[in-house]
Amino acid sequence: MKKATECVQAGWTPAKGEPRALPIYQSTTFKYENSDQMARLFDLEESGYFYSRLQNPTNDAVAAKIAALEGGVAAMLTSSGMAAVFFAAFNICEAGGHFLSACNIYGGAYNLFGVTMKKMGVDCTFFDPDKLTDDEVKALIQPNTKFIFGETISNPGGAVFDIERYAKIAHEAGVPLIIDNTFATPVNCRPIEWGADIVVHSTTKYMDGHASCVGGVIVDSGNFDWLAHADKFPGLCLPDESYHGLTYAKDFGKFAYITKATAQLMRDLGSCQSPQDAYVLNIGLESLHVRMRQHCENAQKVAEWLQTRPEVGWIHFAGLPTDKYYPLYQKYLPKGGCGVIAFGLKGTREEAVKFMDSLKMINIVTHVADVKTCVLHPASHTHRQLSDEQLREAGIAPDLVRLSIGIEDASDIIADLAQALDALQQSK
């Protein structure tokens, strides 16, 4: 099926007499006829449902839809995008491990990798994906390196990650490439087709699309050969004594990674998504292909208009031919990238805040990537825990304004921006 059809049809296929809409299995537990049936489930000897923290029919249907959209073999929903990023990393990188990450990633992930996981004994080396040569990146790889991480389109800077290039570097080192595909969505880019092994999303963003529920997802391509690098990934390639000595990579093959994440991390750490939220997420997914087209068309018009305004000092939007990432945009995102624009105004940080405060239709919110246009000043809000130096290291200018373009009429979005810029000029 084409992506548009998968958005609507994948995941849930009702049998005769079953509901056409995906049902909400709002139950923590599931009944079995005898104790042996339940025992086999707990031993992972057969599939089925016994407790919704681990598996739920509603969640599994939505995870299957997202796996189909990304071209993966299996997926697991989580309670948030940050839970997805953490689980994706911790599933293969425990205490004593190390990994590489692009420096220009979402501030929450940057803090997770650089602060929280460091407290857990996991080290991260941040690198600038645009400035280092292949050899310089390879020199950062250590014997205990477990993976490389990047974002298809960085949040909030709008940088485009060269997926194919870093997949090659990762695979030569015997490690997988993990890509956060939140901003592009599988409608506009499928990182697995370019060599990525694991894909994560904050489903809170475009996948839900309506700022209705928080969630995340991990998708495994099934392509990485864990047993070929067994010494690097003992958690997947050695017996798990908590499950009577089964070995995930041997017993579950292409499903090893997601099985371990579910049976081990979700079992012990929780962070499962509720069936109600999974149901709401599925409603959003059904229109994802239509919404992304409108987001991208509107953002292109707004970005081109912003270029004409004398108050705008700089703009990053990969869909502009003048943008440094335009060649990578054409390669990975020929149908469009996303609706997020990063720009800076000429003047002080305070003037950027005054501009945002003058907007009428466009709201100042923490959120990004939903149907309503919104704006944020990362240095004052989402990334305020970072110093100006750390902001620049993460590819975020202190004056950066993140503008998330919704699916309203583009002329109304531009009109609101225009009156706010005019008000800023009049206040000087």
Side-chain angles (χ1 to χ4, degrees):
M1 294 187 290
K2 303 296 184 183
K3 292 178 189 176
T5 307
E6 286 179 330
C7 283
V8 178
Q9 297 285 352
W12 171 247
T13 305
K16 181 180 178 180
E18 290 186 331
R20 183 66 188 88
L22 173 66
I24 305 172
Y25 287 85
Q26 194 65 48
S27 179
T28 60
T29 45
F30 302 84
K31 176 183 177 295
Y32 289 90
E33 295 299 327
N34 57 63
S35 179
D36 286 343
Q37 290 176 329
M38 184 70 77
R40 288 195 295 272
L41 292 171
F42 272 98
D43 286 342
L44 304 183
E45 292 177 353
E46 63 178 68
S47 60
Y49 301 99
F50 54 97
Y51 196 59
S52 280
R53 184 174 78 245
L54 296 174
Q55 285 184 291
N56 176 282
T58 305
N59 294 40
D60 281 3
V62 180
K65 174 178 285 190
I66 297 173
L69 285 167
E70 283 287 6
V73 298
M76 182 184 77
L77 299 185
T78 61
S79 59
S80 69
M82 285 306 303
V85 172
F86 172 60
F87 278 20
F90 198 61
N91 201 35
I92 53 175
C93 191
E94 303 169 354
H98 168 264
F99 64 95
L100 304 182
S101 173
C103 62
N104 55 359
I105 58 173
Y106 168 57
Y110 190 96
N111 194 67
L112 169 67
F113 293 165
V115 179
T116 302
M117 290 189 71
K118 188 174 183 179
K119 295 177 182 177
M120 302 169 70
V122 178
D123 287 328
C124 174
T125 298
F126 293 102
F127 68 95
D128 190 324
D130 300 327
K131 293 182 179 180
L132 300 187
T133 65
D134 288 2
D135 288 340
E136 287 172 329
V137 175
K138 292 175 183 178
L140 300 176
I141 296 173
Q142 303 173 15
N144 61 338
T145 298
K146 307 295 185 179
F147 65 88
I148 298 177
F149 181 91
E151 296 176 348
T152 307
I153 303 173
S154 70
N155 176 14
V160 180
F161 192 74
D162 195 342
I163 302 170
E164 189 173 36
R165 175 192 174 194
Y166 286 100
K168 182 179 179 182
I169 293 173
H171 295 160
E172 286 179 359
V175 300
L177 175 67
I178 302 178
I179 292 293
D180 186 326
N181 199 34
T182 296
F183 272 9
T185 83
V187 169
N188 287 338
C189 181
R190 300 215 298 182
I192 290 171
E193 294 178 348
W194 296 101
D197 301 287
I198 298 153
V199 177
V200 298
H201 287 267
S202 170
T203 61
T204 317
K205 310 305 188 298
Y206 287 121
M207 283 190 168
D208 165 24
H210 300 82
S212 299
C213 60
V214 176
V217 68
I218 306 169
V219 182
D220 182 21
S221 69
N223 294 332
F224 193 82
D225 189 346
W226 305 106
L227 288 172
H229 309 283
D231 58 324
K232 282 184 173 290
F233 306 104
L236 283 160
C237 300
L238 292 179
D240 181 353
E241 296 308 321
S242 68
Y243 281 108
H244 306 297
L246 67 78
T247 301
Y248 295 101
K250 292 180 180 178
D251 294 338
F252 297 99
K254 288 182 175 292
F255 300 96
Y257 179 88
I258 291 295
T259 300
K260 179 178 180 293
T262 304
Q264 198 178 83
L265 298 188
M266 194 66 80
R267 175 196 67 188
D268 295 345
L269 300 174
S271 298
C272 60
Q273 187 167 88
S274 74
Q276 178 71 50
D277 281 353
Y279 173 83
V280 173
L281 169 58
N282 187 61
I283 293 175
L285 287 168
E286 289 179 346
S287 64
L288 179 63
H289 60 294
V290 180
R291 290 185 287 103
M292 287 307 295
R293 183 166 61 245
Q294 190 65 36
H295 281 295
C296 293
E297 288 178 2
N298 280 356
Q300 189 71 33
K301 292 176 182 178
V302 172
E304 291 172 357
W305 177 83
L306 283 171
Q307 278 192 314
T308 69
R309 293 291 302 209
E311 302 93 339
V312 176
W314 59 269
I315 181 170
H316 289 325
F317 182 71
L320 295 172
T322 54
D323 192 89
K324 64 182 286 189
Y325 296 104
Y326 187 67
L328 290 176
Y329 177 89
Q330 290 180 302
K331 176 179 178 177
Y332 294 113
L333 304 154
K335 294 183 179 180
C338 68
V340 180
I341 300 169
F343 70 97
L345 298 175
K346 296 174 183 176
T348 63
R349 180 186 292 196
E350 289 70 29
E351 286 177 315
V353 171
K354 186 178 294 184
F355 156 73
M356 293 191 299
D357 289 346
S358 299
L359 293 166
K360 296 178 179 179
M361 181 188 77
I362 301 170
N363 297 146
I364 301 172
V365 299
T366 304
H367 203 240
V368 66
D370 67 55
V371 293
K372 299 179 179 69
T373 299
C374 56
V375 69
L376 184 81
H377 183 238
S380 299
H381 305 134
T382 55
H383 293 64
R384 65 180 298 113
Q385 74 273 22
L386 303 181
S387 66
D388 281 2
E389 182 180 354
Q390 288 175 316
L391 286 168
R392 293 188 181 93
E393 288 176 358
I396 303 167
D399 62 341
L400 184 150
V401 174
R402 185 183 72 185
L403 180 63
S404 177
I405 303 299
I407 62 172
E408 306 96 342
D409 191 289
S411 63
D412 289 326
I413 300 171
I414 291 172
D416 195 24
L417 293 169
Q419 67 81 24
L421 289 174
D422 292 341
L424 180 62
Q425 287 295 332
Q426 292 167 9
S427 67
K428 292 183 178 181

